[in-house]
C-alpha cells in the first residue's frame, strides 16, 4: 500500500516537473521581448527652439529580426497644458508590415517651442513573431529654462567712396567719404606715383580730402581696408575750362647813372622770382606778386653787365649798360636813351625763371622757365 502511494507521488512530481519545464520554455521568449526610449535636447538660439532627438530600441530573441510600433504618442507641455506633437521618423505603423529592424535604433527628431516645460514619447512594439508588448515604454524630458532666440548683430562694415579731381595746376584732390549707414570707420590708403602714400580714417557720415601734388599724380590708387577691389586705380582726368594766368611784362633802361630793370605782373598772373647778378657787386632778387610792379637798379660804370637768372633757366645772356649819348661829361645823371616799351609773351603755365637776350636793336627778351615769358625793351 505504501509502495503504491510512493509510486503515485513520484509520478505526480515528474508530471509537475515536466509541466514547469514547458512553462519555462513558453515563458522564455516573453522575457526576451522588450523596448526602450531615450531622448536628448539642444537649444537652437538662432530660432529660439528646442531640437529634441528621440531614440527607440527593441530587443528580441534570436531569429526575430523586425518589429512595428502599435503605439507612438508624443506630447509636450507648457505648464500644465499638454499638446500632441509629431516626431519625424517615429510613428505608429499602418497595416501589417514590420518596417523596423531589431538590430538598428529608430531615431526621430522634433522641434519644440522654446518655452515648453516638458516633452514625452510613449511607444509599444510588436515583433514579427507576433509577440506584443503589454506595457507602454516611454521617455520624458523636462526643461528647467526656456530656449531664447539670440539675435546676432551683423558685422560692422564701411560704405567708402573716393572722388578724384584734378585742378588747373595739375594737383589732384582725392575726396574720401564714408556713408552715413556705415557701422565702422573706413580705413583709406591713397598712393600716388613716386613714393607718395597717405592713410586716413573716416567715420560714418564724414569725409575728408587729400591733396596729391602734380608730380605724384601720374597714377593714383585709392584702397579701403575692407574692400577687395581699389576704389580708384587710374590716371586722373585733366581739369577742364582752365583759364591761363596773365602774362607779366618787363623792361629795362640805361640812364647816365644806372641800369634799371622793371617787371610788371598783372592781377591774374602768378608770382615772378628773378635774380639779377652784376659782373661786379652783389646780386639782387626781385619777387613780384600778382598785381605788383617792381624795379631793381644797378649803379652804372663802364663795362657793367647784369645777368638775370631763375631756377631751371637753361639759357641766359648778360645785359650791358650803355651810356646814353645825351649824358654831359661829369654831370650827375641824365635822360634814358629812349622810352620804356614793355612787350608781353604768350600765356603758359606759371612763371618760375627767366632769361634776357640782348638784341641788335637794343630790345632784350627775358625768357622765364616753364614756358612763361617776359620781354624787356631798352
Amino acid at each position: 500500500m505504501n509502495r503504491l502511494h510512493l509510486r503515485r507521488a513520484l509520478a505526480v512530481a515528474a508530471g509537475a516537473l515536466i509541466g514547469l519545464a514547458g512553462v519555462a520554455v513558453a515563458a522564455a521568449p516573453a522575457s526576451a521581448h522588450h523596448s526602450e526610449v531615450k531622448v536628448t535636447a539642444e537649444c537652437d538660439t538662432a530660432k529660439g527652439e528646442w531640437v529634441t532627438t528621440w531614440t527607440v530600441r527593441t530587443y528580441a530573441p534570436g531569429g526575430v529580426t523586425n518589429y512595428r510600433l502599435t503605439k507612438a504618442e508624443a506630447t509636450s507641455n507648457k505648464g500644465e497644458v499638454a499638446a500632441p506633437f509629431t516626431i519625424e521618423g517615429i510613428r505608429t505603423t499602418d497595416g501589417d508590415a514590420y518596417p523596423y529592424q531589431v538590430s538598428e535604433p529608430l531615431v526621430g527628431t522634433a522641434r519644440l517651442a522654446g518655452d515648453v516645460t516638458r516633452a514625452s514619447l510613449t511607444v509599444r512594439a510588436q515583433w514579427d513573431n507576433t509577440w506584443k508588448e503589454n506595457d507602454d515604454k516611454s521617455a520624458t524630458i523636462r526643461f528647467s529654462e526656456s530656449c531664447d532666440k539670440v539675435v546676432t548683430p551683423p558685422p560692422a562694415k564701411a560704405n567708402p567712396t573716393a572722388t578724384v579731381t584734378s585742378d588747373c595746376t595739375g594737383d589732384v584732390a582725392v575726396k574720401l567719404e564714408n556713408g552715413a549707414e556705415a557701422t565702422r570707420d573706413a580705413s583709406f590708403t591713397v598712393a600716388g606715383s613716386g613714393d607718395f602714400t597717405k592713410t586716413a580714417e573716416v567715420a560714418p557720415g564724414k569725409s575728408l580730402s587729400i591733396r596729391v601734388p602734380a608730380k605724384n599724380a601720374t597714377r593714383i590708387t585709392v584702397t579701403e581696408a575692407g574692400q577687395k577691389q581699389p576704389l580708384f586705380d587710374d590716371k586722373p582726368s585733366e581739369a577742364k575750362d582752365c583759364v591761363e594766368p596773365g602774362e607779366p611784362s618787363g623792361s629795362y633802361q640805361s640812364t647816365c647813372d644806372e641800369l634799371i630793370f622793371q617787371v610788371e605782373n598783372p592781377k591774374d598772373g602768378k608770382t615772378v622770382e628773378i635774380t639779377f647778378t652784376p659782373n661786379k657787386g652783389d646780386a639782387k632778387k626781385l619777387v613780384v606778386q600778382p598785381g605788383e610792379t617792381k624795379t631793381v637798379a644797378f649803379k652804372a660804370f663802364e663795362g657793367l653787365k647784369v645777368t638775370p637768372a631763375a631756377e631751371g633757366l637753361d639759357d641766359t645772356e648778360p645785359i650791358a649798360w650803355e651810356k646814353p649819348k645825351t649824358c654831359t661829361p661829369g654831370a650827375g645823371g641824365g635822360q634814358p636813351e629812349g622810352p620804356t616799351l614793355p612787350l608781353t609773351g604768350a600765356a603758359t603755365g606759371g612763371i618760375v625763371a627767366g632769361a634776357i637776350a640782348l638784341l641788335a636793336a637794343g630790345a632784350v627778351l627775358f625768357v622765364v622757365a616753364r614756358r612763361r615769358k617776359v620781354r624787356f625793351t631798352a
Side-chain angles (χ1 to χ4, degrees):
M1 188 71 167
N2 289 333
R3 289 181 180 177
L4 291 176
H5 285 295
L6 180 58
R7 289 178 180 176
R8 183 174 295 177
L10 291 173
V12 171
L17 182 60
I18 294 171
L20 290 172
V23 171
V25 172
S31 64
H33 291 77
H34 69 281
S35 58
E36 64 180 21
V37 184
K38 293 183 178 180
V39 59
T40 60
E42 292 183 356
C43 178
D44 182 356
T45 56
K47 294 185 177 180
E49 295 178 341
W50 288 107
V51 180
T52 59
T53 302
W54 306 83
T55 303
V56 177
R57 287 183 177 273
T58 66
Y59 302 89
V64 180
T65 58
N66 290 72
Y67 71 97
R68 58 196 299 244
L69 293 179
T70 60
K71 184 178 184 179
E73 296 179 356
T75 59
S76 64
N77 287 58
K78 293 184 180 181
E80 298 300 322
V81 180
F85 68 91
T86 300
I87 299 176
E88 187 68 30
I90 299 177
R91 62 177 183 172
T92 302
T93 305
D94 295 329
D96 298 327
Y98 294 86
Y100 309 122
Q101 295 182 2
V102 174
S103 60
E104 298 292 335
L106 179 62
V107 180
T109 59
R111 283 184 171 269
L112 302 176
D115 58 350
V116 300
T117 56
R118 184 177 64 182
S120 300
L121 171 64
T122 300
V123 301
R124 284 191 187 185
Q126 180 181 8
W127 290 263
D128 58 7
N129 64 351
T130 72
W131 189 271
K132 297 180 180 179
E133 282 185 311
N134 293 324
D135 300 321
D136 294 340
K137 298 295 186 297
S138 64
T140 299
I141 187 169
R142 289 176 172 80
F143 303 100
S144 60
E145 58 186 10
S146 62
C147 175
D148 298 322
K149 184 177 181 179
V150 176
V151 179
T152 303
K157 67 176 185 177
N159 184 22
T161 58
T163 305
V164 180
T165 306
S166 301
D167 64 20
C168 293
T169 67
D171 290 353
V172 174
V174 181
K175 185 178 181 181
L176 307 174
E177 297 180 274
N178 193 7
E181 66 277 15
T183 54
R184 68 166 175 84
D185 291 353
S187 300
F188 292 95
T189 299
V190 179
S193 52
D195 57 355
F196 182 91
T197 301
K198 285 192 177 181
T199 60
E201 297 286 330
V202 181
K206 301 297 182 179
S207 66
L208 61 80
S209 186
I210 291 178
R211 195 163 191 83
V212 182
K215 65 179 181 179
N216 301 116
T218 303
R219 187 180 188 90
I220 294 176
T221 301
V222 183
T223 57
E224 198 280 323
Q227 309 298 314
K228 293 182 179 180
Q229 300 295 327
L231 302 176
F232 184 89
D233 186 18
D234 206 346
K235 178 181 179 180
S237 300
E238 293 183 359
K240 296 181 179 180
D241 302 323
C242 292
V243 177
E244 293 291 346
E247 281 290 339
S249 60
S251 62
Y252 80 93
Q253 63 181 1
S254 292
T255 69
C256 295
D257 303 313
E258 295 178 314
L259 176 58
I260 304 170
F261 295 90
Q262 176 176 295
V263 177
E264 181 179 353
N265 202 359
K267 291 182 179 181
D268 60 347
K270 287 194 173 183
T271 301
V272 180
E273 296 184 9
I274 307 170
T275 300
F276 298 88
T277 305
N279 55 343
K280 289 184 181 181
D282 297 329
K284 297 181 180 181
K285 185 176 183 179
L286 200 63
V287 179
V288 187
Q289 303 290 340
E292 292 183 336
T293 298
K294 288 187 176 182
T295 61
V296 62
F298 294 88
K299 185 174 178 60
F301 60 85
E302 289 295 334
L304 171 64
K305 293 183 179 180
V306 177
T307 303
E311 183 181 352
L313 188 64
D314 295 328
D315 185 21
T316 60
E317 291 286 346
I319 294 177
W321 173 74
E322 293 184 355
K323 184 177 181 179
K325 295 178 181 180
T326 57
C327 292
T328 303
Q335 298 297 321
E337 194 174 56
T340 298
L341 178 61
L343 300 177
T344 61
T348 55
I351 302 176
V352 179
I356 302 176
L358 182 62
L359 302 180
V364 177
L365 173 64
F366 182 77
V367 181
V368 180
R370 296 187 183 176
R371 299 176 299 167
R372 300 304 306 276
K373 296 181 180 179
V374 181
R375 295 181 184 274
F376 288 89
T377 58

